[in-house]
Amino acid sequence: MAKKYYEAVNTGKGFITHGDNELSHISGYPGNVWLTENTAWVARHGLSEITRLEAQTLVNTAISGSVDEDGNQITLDLPVV
């Protein structure tokens, strides 16, 4: 299975369970972006896959204006999957 990107709002307790992560790790990024190959978790939440470009745009928008201690714009490049 290949990892894929998804957009979803974390609904709190039970959104990602210990069992979900044991089945296949779920990585979260700013902008409600998630990366996983856990199809059971995806199906439970009714998520649709988004492209890496769409995911990167969501992340960039979420961190826009965020700067480090030296005043440099913070950037985050998503992994290529």
Side-chain angles (χ1 to χ4, degrees):
M1 268 192 258
K3 291 184 179 181
K4 298 178 181 179
Y5 287 102
Y6 301 90
E7 179 183 11
V9 175
N10 184 337
T11 56
K13 186 174 181 167
F15 180 67
I16 301 172
T17 66
H18 179 74
D20 291 331
N21 257 332
E22 279 200 347
L23 183 62
S24 180
H25 183 70
I26 303 167
S27 299
Y29 296 93
N32 296 319
V33 172
W34 304 90
L35 175 65
T36 190
E37 57 188 355
N38 186 333
T39 56
W41 178 79
V42 169
R44 188 172 80 235
H45 291 290
L47 306 181
S48 297
E49 180 183 354
I50 60 174
T51 67
R52 181 181 180 276
L53 180 60
E54 291 169 319
Q56 187 67 62
T57 299
L58 289 168
V59 169
N60 291 348
T61 300
I63 64 174
S64 178
S66 298
V67 294
D68 65 15
E69 59 193 34
D70 295 323
N72 301 308
Q73 171 67 45
I74 295 174
T75 60
L76 174 65
D77 292 324
L78 294 174
V80 177
V81 293

